[in-house]
Each structure stands twice: as structure tokens, then as C-alpha cells.
Amino acid sequence: MNDFWTLSPDEWTAIRLSLLVATVAVVASLPFGLAIAWVLARREFWGKSLVNGIVHLPLVLPPVVTGYLLLISFGRKGPAGQFFEQCCGLVFSFRWTGAALACAVMGFPLMVRAIRLSLESVDRRLEDAAGTLGASPPWVFLTVTLPLIASGVIAGMILCFARAMGEFGATITFVSNIPGETQTLPSAIYTFTQVPGGDEGALRLTLVSLVISMAALIASEWLARHAGGAGSITS
């Protein structure tokens, strides 16, 4: 039984890589998530429904389709991939950075939705009062709006993190399943299920994944309550 809980170096690498990829996905998504959520919550414009649909498209598209679209767009021969490689030497295809991009895309709709709902529940009179006292719009957002939506932002970040931890289809299509480079927890579990005698390793990593995901949900509840009590995931 003790041997069951002994993780191999490759398994530790998959766990660390999953945590890195999920964290980078959340951090990279947050500024864009705040901006898009604010636009969708506060502005009326032609094509708003189209923008909203594009943002939420990864939720309804098969993950493999999303991964393939990323491959042809951000691969070495894709227009975006060539731009980032020439501009700042950033390569996505078959790299952990590509896994982070795929996870960010898949978790982005969940983050935007949580933040948008929080923004729509804010009493606009509080923001207007700050504006009448001479505060600029950016300062109003930082000092009034952001604290009021903190619980929603936290919930969105945790949802994005949890989705990134469980992402498989888009990731394996875009960056493959390379041990030590792009093999995250779901990919490692899949690998174990494809080899004879791999059931024990698959179960071990499944339990690790369950623990990490549950810890993320509990942390979300605690942080959301201390940030204002509204907008927790399970409320």
C-alpha cells in the first residue's frame, strides 16, 4: 500500500507542469477576462451577441476542434504563431506555453461569466458617487468597482484554474503528449490507461487530481467569503 502512494519522477513532473500551466493560464487570462467582462456588462454595441458567442464558444465546441484551431493559428506555420515567434521568440506548438494557451482558452469563458455576473450586480450609484467627487474612471474601477466584484473575480480565477487542471482534448491536439514538456495530469492519466499494468498509476494520479481540484474549490469558497461573501462557486 505504501508503494501505491510513491510517485515516480515522471508523475511529479506531470503534477508540477499541470500546476504551472494552470497558474500561467489564469494569470494570463485575468486582464483580458476583466476587460471583456466589463465591456459585455457595461456597454451596448452592435455585434455584442456575436462577441459574447465567440467568448463562450470553447464551452460548446469539442475540445479537439478548439485544439486544432489553435494549432493552425498558433502553430509554427500559423499566422499568430509566426508573429509571436518573430516578435518575442515565443513558441506555442509542442511546448508547455502552448498547453497554457490551450488551457487559458478553455477556461476563459468561465472566468468572464463569473466576473460579468459580479459586475452586473454592482450598484452603479456607488461608482457615480465616486465620479462626482472627482475620481477618474480608472480610479473608480480600482477603488470602488474592483473591491465590490472581488468575490466574482476570485470565483472566475478558480473556475479557470480548475478547468485548466482538467483540460485534455484541446491540449493534446495542440501540443501533443510529450513527457516533461506538455504531459499534464490528464495526459499522464491517459498514458497510463494505454499501457499494460498502468491502472495503478492512473488511479494514483486521479486521486491527486481530485485532491487538487477539491482544494481549489475550498480555497475559492474561503476567499470569496472573506472578499465579500457573494459570488462563490457553489452558492
Side-chain angles (χ1 to χ4, degrees):
M1 185 66 180
N2 291 333
D3 292 340
F4 175 80
W5 295 108
T6 303
L7 297 170
S8 69
D10 286 342
E11 291 169 355
W12 276 116
T13 299
I15 294 171
R16 286 194 296 267
L17 185 61
S18 293
L19 293 172
L20 172 64
V21 164
T23 301
V24 171
V26 172
V27 173
S29 298
L30 185 57
F32 300 100
L34 282 168
I36 294 296
W38 187 86
V39 169
L40 292 176
R42 297 295 177 83
R43 290 289 182 264
E44 294 296 331
F45 55 91
W46 184 89
K48 180 177 179 179
S49 296
L50 178 61
V51 173
N52 186 58
I54 293 174
V55 168
H56 290 85
L57 202 57
L59 291 179
V60 295
L61 276 178
V64 174
V65 174
T66 303
Y68 179 70
L69 292 174
L70 289 172
L71 182 62
I72 62 177
S73 300
F74 288 87
R76 286 186 176 273
K77 296 184 179 180
Q82 290 181 348
F83 171 79
F84 281 106
E85 185 173 4
Q86 295 172 3
C87 174
C88 46
L90 188 58
V91 178
F92 292 104
S93 57
F94 307 109
R95 301 284 181 87
W96 73 268
T97 49
L101 174 62
C103 290
V105 170
M106 297 301 294
F108 190 70
L110 301 175
M111 177 184 288
V112 170
R113 181 168 180 79
I115 298 174
R116 179 184 178 182
L117 290 175
S118 290
L119 279 167
E120 291 175 343
S121 67
V122 169
D123 188 347
R124 298 290 297 274
R125 291 174 298 180
L126 297 174
E127 297 172 317
D128 294 338
T132 59
L133 295 174
S136 63
W139 188 247
V140 171
F141 179 80
L142 289 175
T143 60
V144 178
T145 309
L146 195 56
L148 291 174
I149 65 171
S151 58
V153 173
I154 292 169
M157 292 173 64
I158 297 296
L159 284 170
C160 184
F161 180 86
R163 182 66 183 87
M165 286 295 298
E167 169 50 35
F168 174 70
T171 303
I172 200 170
T173 304
F174 182 31
V175 296
S176 189
N177 182 14
I178 306 171
E181 182 65 38
T182 64
Q183 188 178 77
T184 56
L185 267 174
S187 301
I189 293 171
Y190 172 76
T191 299
F192 272 122
T193 63
Q194 302 303 303
V195 298
D199 292 343
E200 186 175 286
L203 178 60
R204 184 164 54 244
L205 290 183
T206 297
L207 293 175
V208 170
S209 182
L210 284 171
V211 170
I212 294 174
S213 298
M214 184 57 66
L217 290 173
I218 293 172
S220 170
E221 286 294 325
W222 187 86
L223 290 170
R225 290 180 189 279
H226 283 74
S232 63
I233 294 175
T234 58
S235 61

